[in-house]
């Protein structure tokens, strides 16, 4: 007989809780959600009755049936059942589902919550149980129902009307729209450039680096200015010093944790939440899904005590932060360590890095501000003998005009009265940390300014060198995972529990991907003055890197345009944010669930009903690039099943079927040229022959460049199929043959083989796979035994789909 049964969400959390409870308590886990909305009802109707109060049909997840059986058995022998799922809406909903499945009375079943897994927090929760908060449950139901309705009704429209379209989500679609809009801002960006002048001076053996506050529009102006410095005198005309302070940031919320973990540690949103979940379940940090920046009085006292003991009284400053978001929910604490003095939070390297970040940020929030002293040294330029100077009107901020030719006429036009040189100055800026304060625990991400040497007004400086460097305007930056989370939060889209899921989903569905490009080379001009001689250098730098950034795919762009045109509310930022606010109102009891659902579903369903009139051919229009000079057929850039592609010939020509080629890397339907398309249609290319006379072909498929010998395909990344040599191809072919041979344990000659797989040896006939019984040596299995094992093996539909996909890869000319 069990006196007390505690049901939690995860086994890891259960183990930690069990340590703090006595022998009178047994802790079991539901392992997350136990049931969900059925995917399809028996009669094929929606499992959500939109005409009858959104009554929803749920089913126990197939992998949770054994867990449910165990929980039911434990409930029967327990005097008291305690539901200790997480304290957010999802946790409340899991608790409600448990009462439904385990036949518990939600009005009397004890519900306990805690924002940290410590003995004190659990003891307090046991002393103050409550019942299930049905307002929170209804808010979770509203979110889940809406998301499912959008998926059930909009995704089929996307399949029918959008080439390559997979599905559409209520919250994911606005996120894709953000990425697409930013990408188009970058594509339409038409920036100019200017020349920035920096100089290095010396004074009594010290070096001072300074910059001209203004920039030049043309190389000629920069050249003339550098010439004017050859006989100039440089005097310190002013020194201004101003004290300043820098305050620490608030402790982490879910959003700011994801942002900082991304920028400082390079963690993606999903990896961040996975590590945070482990730390929470092990009792090392407080609950990791929160909008709150508040710290409890106990946490503040704990931080102050540690700071005073470790760094001294002057480093401690108690602060109470207020949550800025008007829509903040789950008003528990910010994310913080449960024990401020604990430096080691995990033996896992990645979890420890995140724990250290959380701990430092929390402690820094309770530390004194950093005191700084900023200094600006003004350096006056006085011409002594040269008459070719430029006037101040050439030193205006850069314009959008392209520079003219570097001609004598232009240079003479910028030569002006030498008396005006006195209007121009260099500025040297420095910063000194007088008191590091919170920076001792959580330093700034940007570098501190340079410390300037001791100088005074009237000091003469010696010019060592000056450089005028061409600086290009930068286009808007692509979103990283962290910056996208911040943008979604700013727009009010999503909540702490959804950010990581949103970002993961748009990548899994193929609407966005992590960039890998290091950028393309670009030449810049650098004019260098040294020892009264000016040299001109061309320096190569990379621009346009998208490494680690979220880049929308062609599929993402087509889907976003489609939704913008036909389902605008789904991707409207303010509408999506309003829906989130309405969920919050349901959670507080201020809005009825079904009223909110009607407000969304009624107009949405009308759009679905009208979608039959959408012409698929207008969704992703083909673009005729030009005419193939050999065949005389048109070449089209269009969207196919797997994304943008090239087509040679018309699709309605049944006699001479069109040929297809993949879109060249880095090109789009709107930007690919005829020459690039003709180059793409040079594939497949015959590279040569093997020693046995087998033809070796190269091509590009869905998964990248490859060579083909008979029915064997070999990836040749990163080699180019247009230029790969026969020697390179044969080396890769030989390596592939070797790996295939090592994979084969036995081949019975009738299609039945014993192979080494990812998860160990197995038997296959090409359509079915069979596990090898434990203790059986794979190499000793006889032909008849292999047949028998295959006969009894179940047919895997999933494997059939995968196999079909792989077969498509082997037909390079099929779109």
């Amino acid at each position: 007989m069990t006196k007390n049964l505690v049901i939690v969400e995860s086994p890891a959390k259960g183990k930690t809780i069990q340590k703090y409870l006595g022998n009178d308590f047994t802790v079991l886990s539901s392992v997350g959600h136990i049931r969900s909305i059925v995917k399809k009802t028996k009669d094929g109707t929606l499992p959500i009755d939109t005409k009858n109060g959104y009554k929803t049909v749920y089913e126990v997840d197939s992998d949770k049936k054994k867990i449910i059986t165990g929980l039911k058995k434990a409930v029967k022998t327990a005097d008291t059942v305690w539901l200790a799922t997480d304290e957010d809406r999802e946790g409340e909903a899991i608790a409600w589902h448990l009462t439904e499945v385990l036949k518990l009375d939600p009005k009397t079943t004890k519900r306990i919550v805690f924002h940290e897994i410590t003995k004190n927090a659990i003891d307090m929760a046991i002393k103050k149980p409550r019942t299930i908060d049905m307002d929170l449950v209804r808010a979770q139901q509203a979110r889940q129902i809406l998301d499912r309705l959008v998926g059930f009704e909009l995704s089929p429209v996307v399949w029918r009307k959008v080439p390559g379209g997979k599905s559409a989500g209520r919250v994911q679609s606005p996120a894709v729209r953000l990425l697409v809009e930013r990408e188009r801002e970058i594509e339409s960006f038409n920036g100019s450039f200017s020349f920035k002048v920096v100089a290095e001076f010396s004074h009594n053996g010290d070096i001072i680096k300074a910059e001209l506050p203004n920039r030049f529009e043309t190389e000629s102006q920069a050249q003339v200015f550098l010439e004017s410095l050859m006989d100039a005198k440089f005097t310190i005309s002013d020194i201004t010093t101003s004290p300043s302070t820098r305050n620490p940031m608030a402790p982490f919320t879910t959003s700011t944790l994801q942002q900082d973990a991304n920028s400082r540690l390079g963690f993606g949103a999903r990896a961040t939440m996975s590590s945070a979940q482990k730390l929470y379940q092990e009792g090392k940090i407080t609950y990791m899904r929160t909008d709150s920046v508040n710290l409890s009085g106990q946490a503040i006292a704990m931080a102050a005590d540690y700071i005073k003991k470790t760094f001294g009284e002057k480093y401690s400053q108690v602060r109470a932060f207020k949550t800025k978001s008007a829509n903040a929910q789950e008003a528990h604490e910010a994310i913080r360590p449960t024990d401020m003095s604990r430096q080691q939070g995990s033996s896992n390297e990645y979890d420890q890095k995140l724990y250290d970040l959380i701990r430092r940020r929390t402690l820094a929030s309770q530390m004194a501000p950093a005191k700084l002293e900023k200094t600006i040294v003004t350096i006056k330029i006085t011409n002594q003998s040269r008459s070719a100077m430029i006037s101040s009107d050439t030193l205006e901020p850069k314009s959008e005009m392209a520079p003219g030719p570097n001609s004598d006429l232009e240079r003479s036009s910028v030569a002006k009265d030498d008396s005006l040189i006195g209007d121009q100055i260099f500025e040297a800026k420095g910063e000194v940390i007088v008191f590091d304060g919170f920076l001792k625990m959580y330093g700034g991400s940007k570098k501190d300014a340079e410390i300037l040497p001791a100088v005074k007004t009237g000091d003469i400086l010696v010019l060592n060198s000056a450089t005028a460097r061409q600086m290009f305007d930068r286009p808007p930056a692509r979103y990283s995972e962290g910056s996208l989370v911040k943008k979604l939060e700013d727009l009010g889209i999503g909540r702490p529990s959804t950010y990581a899921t949103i970002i993961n989903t748009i990548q899994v569905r193929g609407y966005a991907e992590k960039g890998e490009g290091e950028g393309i080379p670009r030449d810049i001009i650098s004019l260098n003055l040294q020892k009264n001689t000016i040299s001109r250098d061309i320096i190569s730098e990379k621009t346009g890197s998208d490494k680690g950034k979220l880049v929308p795919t062609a599929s993402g762009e087509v889907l976003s345009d489609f939704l913008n045109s036909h389902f605008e509310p789904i991707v409207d930022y303010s509408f999506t944010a309003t829906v989130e606010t309405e969920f919050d109102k349901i959670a507080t009891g201020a809005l009825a669930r079904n009223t909110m659902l009607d407000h969304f579903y009624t107009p949405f369903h009308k759009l679905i009903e009208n979608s039959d009139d959408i012409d698929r051919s207008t969704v992703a229009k083909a673009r005729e690039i030009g005419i193939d000079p050999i065949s005389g057929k048109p070449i089209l850039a269009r969207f196919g099943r797997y994304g943008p592609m090239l087509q040679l010939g018309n699709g309605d020509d049944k006699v001479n079927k069109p040929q297809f080629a993949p879109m060249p890397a880095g090109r789009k339907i709107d930007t690919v040229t005829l020459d690039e398309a003709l180059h793409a249609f040079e594939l497949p290319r015959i590279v040569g022959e093997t020693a046995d006379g087998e033809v070796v072909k190269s091509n590009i498929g869905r998964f990248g460049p490859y060579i083909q010998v008979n029915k064997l395909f070999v990836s040749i990344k990163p080699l180019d199929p247009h230029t790969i040599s026969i020697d390179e191809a044969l080396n890769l072919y030989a390596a592939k043959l070797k790996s295939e041979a090592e994979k084969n344990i036995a081949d019975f000659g009738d299609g039945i083989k014993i192979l080494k797989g990812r998860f160990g040896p197995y038997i296959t006939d090409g359509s079915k796979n069979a596990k090898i019984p434990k203790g059986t040596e794979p190499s000793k299995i006889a032909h008849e035994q292999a047949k028998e094992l295959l006969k009894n093996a179940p047919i895997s539909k999933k494997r059939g789909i995968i196999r079909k996909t792989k077969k498509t890869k082997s037909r390079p000319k099929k779109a």
Side-chain angles (χ1 to χ4, degrees):
M1 192 77 176
T2 303
K3 286 188 177 181
N4 295 281
L5 173 64
V6 180
I7 303 177
V8 298
E9 285 185 43
S10 71
K13 180 179 177 181
K15 287 179 182 177
T16 309
I17 292 173
Q18 186 71 73
K19 291 189 301 184
Y20 300 124
L21 296 172
N23 295 329
D24 290 342
F25 287 83
T26 298
V27 183
L28 295 179
S29 168
S30 70
V31 193
H33 279 279
I34 58 168
R35 65 176 188 169
S36 53
I37 300 174
V38 300
K39 292 182 179 179
K40 201 172 186 180
T41 57
K42 291 180 181 179
D43 58 2
T45 58
L46 284 176
I48 301 166
D49 190 347
T50 57
K51 296 179 180 179
N52 187 25
Y54 299 93
K55 186 178 179 181
T56 305
V57 181
Y58 295 95
E59 65 179 355
V60 173
D61 298 338
S62 58
D63 60 340
K64 298 295 175 67
K65 289 181 179 178
K66 286 185 178 179
I67 293 171
I68 294 299
T69 300
L71 290 175
K72 284 182 176 179
K73 191 180 293 185
V75 166
K76 287 179 181 178
T77 61
D79 290 340
T80 306
V81 178
W82 307 75
L83 300 179
T85 50
D86 291 344
E87 60 173 329
D88 57 8
R89 294 174 192 168
E90 290 296 321
E92 206 71 20
I94 292 172
W96 175 75
H97 281 291
L98 284 168
T99 63
E100 291 279 299
V101 174
L102 302 178
K103 309 298 182 185
L104 301 171
D105 185 352
K107 295 179 181 178
T108 58
T109 301
K110 293 185 177 181
R111 170 84 169 106
I112 55 173
V113 294
F114 34 81
H115 64 270
E116 62 181 61
I117 305 175
T118 59
K119 182 170 177 48
N120 183 57
I122 293 168
D123 287 344
M124 289 293 291
I126 293 290
K127 290 175 183 177
K128 295 182 179 180
R130 60 172 174 80
T131 56
I132 291 174
D133 185 335
M134 289 306 298
D135 287 330
L136 284 180
V137 173
R138 282 186 278 268
Q140 189 275 345
Q141 289 174 340
R143 176 189 290 279
Q144 190 180 44
I145 289 170
L146 275 195
D147 289 347
R148 287 300 180 93
L149 286 173
V150 171
F152 282 133
E153 298 196 2
L154 182 56
S155 291
V157 177
V158 170
W159 300 336
R160 294 194 307 268
K161 303 295 184 178
V162 182
K166 295 180 180 69
S167 59
R170 183 187 62 82
V171 185
Q172 293 85 5
S173 297
V176 175
R177 179 186 173 187
L178 282 170
L179 298 181
V180 171
E181 287 179 342
R182 178 57 55 86
E183 195 67 19
R184 288 178 177 164
E185 285 178 39
I186 294 170
E187 290 171 357
S188 62
F189 180 76
N190 187 22
S192 61
F193 61 80
S194 59
F195 284 81
K196 180 177 79 171
V197 180
V198 294
E200 183 182 282
F201 301 92
S202 59
H203 176 261
N204 295 335
D206 293 320
I207 299 297
I208 299 176
K209 294 179 181 179
E211 181 180 328
L212 199 73
N214 303 300
R215 296 188 179 186
F216 297 99
E217 294 180 0
T218 68
E219 180 184 351
S220 298
Q221 294 170 345
Q223 173 85 17
V224 172
F225 178 75
L226 289 183
E227 290 173 357
S228 75
L229 299 180
M230 290 181 180
D231 295 323
K233 179 181 177 182
F234 305 94
T235 310
I236 294 178
S237 59
D238 189 29
I239 301 174
T240 59
T241 301
S242 58
S244 66
T245 58
R246 191 183 302 173
N247 288 305
M249 300 180 76
F252 282 130
T253 61
T254 304
S255 168
T256 54
L257 175 63
Q258 291 177 10
Q259 292 169 42
D260 248 29
N262 187 242
S263 62
R264 289 175 178 256
L265 304 178
F267 286 12
R270 197 177 185 190
T272 298
M273 294 311 292
S274 176
S275 282
Q277 179 96 25
K278 291 176 192 173
L279 293 170
Y280 167 68
Q281 290 172 352
E282 292 168 3
K284 303 300 173 56
I285 64 171
T286 53
Y287 193 55
M288 66 287 163
R289 294 190 183 99
T290 175
D291 284 337
S292 175
V293 292
N294 297 325
L295 293 177
S296 67
Q298 181 186 5
I300 290 173
M302 197 191 314
D305 183 60
Y306 177 82
I307 292 164
K308 290 173 185 177
K309 286 181 179 178
T310 308
F311 304 117
E313 189 83 30
K314 64 179 180 179
Y315 279 91
S316 175
Q317 182 171 320
V318 171
R319 285 186 182 82
F321 293 91
K322 290 186 178 180
T323 303
K324 294 180 181 178
S325 173
N327 297 321
Q329 66 181 36
E330 281 83 70
H332 38 70
E333 284 193 79
I335 304 170
R336 63 162 176 84
T338 54
D339 181 355
M340 302 289 182
S341 64
R342 183 193 288 125
Q343 296 186 29
Q344 189 68 28
S346 175
S347 58
N348 178 282
E349 178 187 356
Y350 295 98
D351 297 347
Q352 174 57 29
K353 284 182 178 179
L354 191 72
Y355 174 80
D356 186 62
L357 190 74
I358 294 168
R359 179 175 177 270
R360 288 178 179 275
R361 174 83 164 230
T362 307
L363 287 169
S365 74
Q366 300 302 309
M367 293 177 72
K371 295 180 180 179
L372 313 170
E373 189 174 81
K374 295 183 178 180
T375 303
I376 300 177
V377 174
T378 304
I379 303 168
K380 182 180 180 182
I381 309 168
T382 307
N383 179 261
Q384 298 187 53
S385 60
R386 296 184 61 83
S387 60
M389 299 294 122
I390 68 173
S391 71
S392 58
D393 63 350
T394 66
L395 292 175
E396 295 174 351
K398 58 185 178 177
S399 73
E400 297 299 318
M401 295 176 59
N406 190 7
S407 63
D408 291 339
L409 178 63
E410 185 187 16
R411 288 183 58 186
S412 65
S413 70
V414 296
K416 300 291 180 182
D417 187 351
D418 62 352
S419 63
L420 294 176
I421 194 65
D423 294 337
Q424 310 313 320
I425 59 168
F426 279 104
E427 286 184 345
K429 296 180 179 180
E431 188 177 84
V432 176
I433 298 175
V434 179
F435 173 62
D436 54 2
F438 78 93
L439 294 175
K440 184 179 281 292
M441 182 55 66
Y442 202 79
S445 56
K446 63 180 183 179
K447 293 181 180 178
D448 291 326
E450 198 168 319
I451 298 176
L452 299 173
V455 290
K456 62 182 185 298
T457 303
D459 284 354
I460 305 297
L461 305 181
V462 177
L463 177 67
N464 296 335
S465 64
T467 299
R469 186 183 177 99
Q470 190 178 23
M471 307 294 291
F472 286 85
D473 290 342
R474 292 185 177 182
R478 290 184 176 92
Y479 289 105
S480 64
E481 287 198 15
S483 60
L484 181 59
V485 166
K486 186 177 188 308
K487 185 66 176 179
L488 291 171
E489 185 183 37
D490 290 343
L491 292 171
I493 297 172
R495 285 297 182 261
S497 60
T498 62
Y499 296 133
T501 304
I502 292 169
I503 291 172
N504 180 61
T505 301
I506 62 177
Q507 293 178 76
V508 168
R509 289 179 177 170
Y511 296 141
E513 58 190 12
K514 285 279 186 71
E516 297 179 350
E518 299 283 356
I520 58 174
R522 175 174 64 189
D523 290 339
I524 63 169
I525 300 168
S526 178
L527 304 177
N528 307 295
L529 169 61
Q530 200 163 18
K531 296 181 180 179
N532 279 353
T533 301
I534 297 176
S535 61
R536 184 178 188 269
D537 298 321
I538 302 296
I539 302 169
S540 180
E541 68 174 11
K542 287 188 175 180
T543 181
S545 170
D546 60 13
K547 191 168 185 179
K549 299 298 178 69
L550 290 170
V551 183
T553 62
S555 297
E557 292 190 29
V558 172
L559 175 74
S560 186
D561 291 341
F562 172 77
L563 295 177
N564 268 324
S565 299
H566 303 287
F567 294 91
E568 196 272 339
I570 294 297
V571 290
D572 181 78
Y573 303 134
S574 61
F575 178 79
T576 307
T578 299
V579 171
E580 294 289 352
T581 303
E582 290 177 343
F583 290 149
D584 295 339
K585 290 180 179 178
I586 296 171
T588 61
L591 178 64
R593 188 197 75 168
N594 290 355
T595 301
M596 182 267 169
L597 290 173
D598 280 335
H599 177 69
F600 178 96
Y601 181 73
T602 302
F604 167 73
H605 187 64
K606 286 181 181 178
L607 292 175
I608 295 292
E609 291 177 327
N610 296 333
S611 65
D612 287 341
D613 298 332
I614 300 171
D615 184 355
R616 179 184 168 94
S617 65
T618 64
V619 175
K621 291 182 179 180
R623 167 179 164 248
E624 184 171 322
I625 303 170
I627 303 296
D628 175 26
I630 297 175
S631 65
K633 295 179 180 179
I635 296 180
L636 307 174
R638 72 177 189 78
F639 207 89
R641 183 179 177 186
Y642 300 116
M645 65 177 186
L646 299 169
Q647 177 178 313
L648 174 59
N650 288 315
D652 54 3
D653 189 343
K654 296 181 180 179
V655 178
N656 298 306
K657 291 185 178 180
Q659 290 179 275
F660 302 97
M663 186 68 67
R667 310 309 292 167
K668 295 186 176 183
I669 290 174
D670 295 334
T671 61
V672 65
T673 65
L674 178 60
D675 286 343
E676 290 168 337
L678 291 172
H679 186 59
F681 277 109
E682 291 173 4
L683 298 176
R685 162 181 166 247
I686 295 177
V687 182
E689 294 183 352
T690 67
D692 298 330
E694 300 283 359
V695 175
V696 180
K697 294 180 182 179
S698 64
N699 205 348
I700 299 176
R702 275 183 64 207
F703 306 104
Y706 65 90
I707 56 169
Q708 177 185 355
V709 182
N710 258 327
K711 295 182 179 180
L712 185 65
F713 296 84
V714 184
S715 172
I716 61 172
K717 288 180 181 179
L719 299 178
D720 187 340
H722 292 92
T723 59
I724 186 173
S725 69
I726 186 61
D727 288 339
E728 290 171 325
L730 291 177
N731 285 336
L732 292 169
Y733 176 57
K736 181 70 172 179
L737 287 176
K738 183 181 177 183
S739 67
E740 288 293 312
E742 290 172 349
K743 191 166 72 174
N744 279 315
I745 298 173
D747 188 341
F748 297 107
D750 59 349
I752 297 177
K753 297 178 181 180
I754 302 177
L755 303 175
K756 288 181 182 176
R758 240 176 108 192
F759 305 106
Y762 65 98
I763 304 167
T764 182
D765 63 359
S767 63
K768 287 175 72 177
N769 293 345
K771 292 180 179 180
I772 294 174
K774 286 184 179 180
T776 303
E777 172 57 45
S779 61
K780 293 182 179 179
I781 293 176
H783 191 191
E784 290 304 318
Q785 186 183 0
K787 282 183 179 179
E788 188 65 24
L789 288 169
L790 277 171
K791 182 181 177 182
N792 298 325
I795 295 174
S796 172
K797 293 180 181 179
K798 188 176 181 182
R799 285 197 185 99
I801 293 169
I802 293 172
R803 193 165 54 253
K804 186 176 180 182
T805 303
K806 289 185 176 178
K807 191 173 181 182
T808 303
K809 180 184 174 184
S810 69
R811 289 179 256 166
K813 281 295 179 182
K814 189 173 179 66

